């Protein structure tokens, strides 16, 4: 009897949980993901300011162990044919190479999401996101570059103030946590590394509604109180209408000159999710039943995984 083939797409929380817990004696497990590691995202903010090193919050996927080395594919999934029960992939290492197909008996779709820009002009070109290790590295590099630039004798006082002003757009968990990490970095490390810097680092957190909107109201109030007590940390209740190379424009027309914009306003579907011909919500999320089966898949052999599927675990 042939061992059923279980294909897992992605290496995030849901997919990685399945990979770790599935009974591998019952399935030939194949993983397809453009990222070769699992990322412990709650600690990602800490890596931007050096509280934690990047390697301490990742786990290489191959460490789990595969029956065959070729059962792990560093590739992106471009299409899913639910009737033929196969996926179309393209190498993440050689993206110009020809696509290839992988058949499956069972499929777990856990490809995650992308930052939602809400089609605000300039976000893609001038903002930094905070979802991957590469994002954290870019933010860390930009912070240090701005501080060094601000110390150069040819830079005006106005430009120094711009370079040392960080704008965070989005008051969800990531935006608030990054703001807290950044504040601590400025109050502790900046004082030590730049003793005679002469300019306080300013942080503006822009949120149109309540910060931490998905949390308890008491926690929201506590977070707002703590933020308001922080010197040079401003909470602005507004909406961003444009991001430029040197500033952020708010809905009321006011302009915030800044040296760094970190965009954290929610999630949007990945191209694969958007391209699938399945039933979805108005927000583009794939509809599933109570067992996380994709309702539009007649075979019922595919799951949209945000947590472990207990039917696959011993």
């Amino acid at each position: 009897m042939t061992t059923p083939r279980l294909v897992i797409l992605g290496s995030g929380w849901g997919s990685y949980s399945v990979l770790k817990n599935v009974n591998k004696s019952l399935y030939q497990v194949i993983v397809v993901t453009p990222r070769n590691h699992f990322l412990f995202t709650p600690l990602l903010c800490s890596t931007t300011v050096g509280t934690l090193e990047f390697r301490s919050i990742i786990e290489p996927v191959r460490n789990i162990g595969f029956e065959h080395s070729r059962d792990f594919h560093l590739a992106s999934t471009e299409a899913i044919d639910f009737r033929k029960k196969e996926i179309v992939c393209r190498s993440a290492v050689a993206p110009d190479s020809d696509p290839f197909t992988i058949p499956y008996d069972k499929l777990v779709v856990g490809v995650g999401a992308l930052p939602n820009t809400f089609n605000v002009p300039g976000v893609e070109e001038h903002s930094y996101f905070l979802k991957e290790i590469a994002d954290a590295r870019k933010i860390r590099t930009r912070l240090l570059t701005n501080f060094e630039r601000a110390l150069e004798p040819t830079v005006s006082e106005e430009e120094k103030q711009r370079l040392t002003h960080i704008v965070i757009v989005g008051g969800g968990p990531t935006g608030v946590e990054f703001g807290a990490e950044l504040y601590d970095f400025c109050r502790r490390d900046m004082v030590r590394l730049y003793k005679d810097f002469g300019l306080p680092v300013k942080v503006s957190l822009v949120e149109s509604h309540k910060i931490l909107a998905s949390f308890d109201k008491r926690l929201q109030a506590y977070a707002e109180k703590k933020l308001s007590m922080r010197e040079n940390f401003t909470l602005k209740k507004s909406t961003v209408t444009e991001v430029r190379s040197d500033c952020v424009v708010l809905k009321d027309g006011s302009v915030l000159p800044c040296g760094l914009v970190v965009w954290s306003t929610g999630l949007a579907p990945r191209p694969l999710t958007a391209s699938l011909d399945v039933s979805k919500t108005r927000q583009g999320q794939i509809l599933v039943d109570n067992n996380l089966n994709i309702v539009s898949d007649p075979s019922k052999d595919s799951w949209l995984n945000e947590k472990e599927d207990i039917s696959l675990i011993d």
Side-chain angles (χ1 to χ4, degrees), residues 91-136:
S91 170
V93 180
D96 293 332
S97 60
D98 293 333
F100 57 93
T101 60
I102 299 176
Y104 67 85
D105 296 299
K106 304 288 184 182
L107 178 67
V108 172
V109 181
V111 297
L114 295 172
N116 196 338
T117 67
F118 296 99
N119 297 317
V120 174
V123 174
E124 291 282 359
E125 296 84 358
H126 306 301
S127 295
Y128 290 73
F129 303 114
L130 191 50
K131 279 188 64 63
E132 302 288 348
I133 286 290
D135 298 331

Side-chain angles (χ1 to χ4, degrees), residues 243-283:
V243 179
R244 300 173 185 169
S245 61
D246 59 352
C247 67
V248 166
V249 182
L250 302 183
K251 188 176 182 180
D252 62 4
S254 59
V255 176
L256 302 179
C258 55
L260 170 66
V261 179
V262 176
W263 190 271
S264 178
T265 60
L267 302 173
R270 288 189 178 275
L272 172 66
T273 305
S275 70
L276 294 179
D277 185 19
V278 295
S279 300
K280 301 173 186 173
T281 66
R282 285 184 297 178
Q283 292 75 31

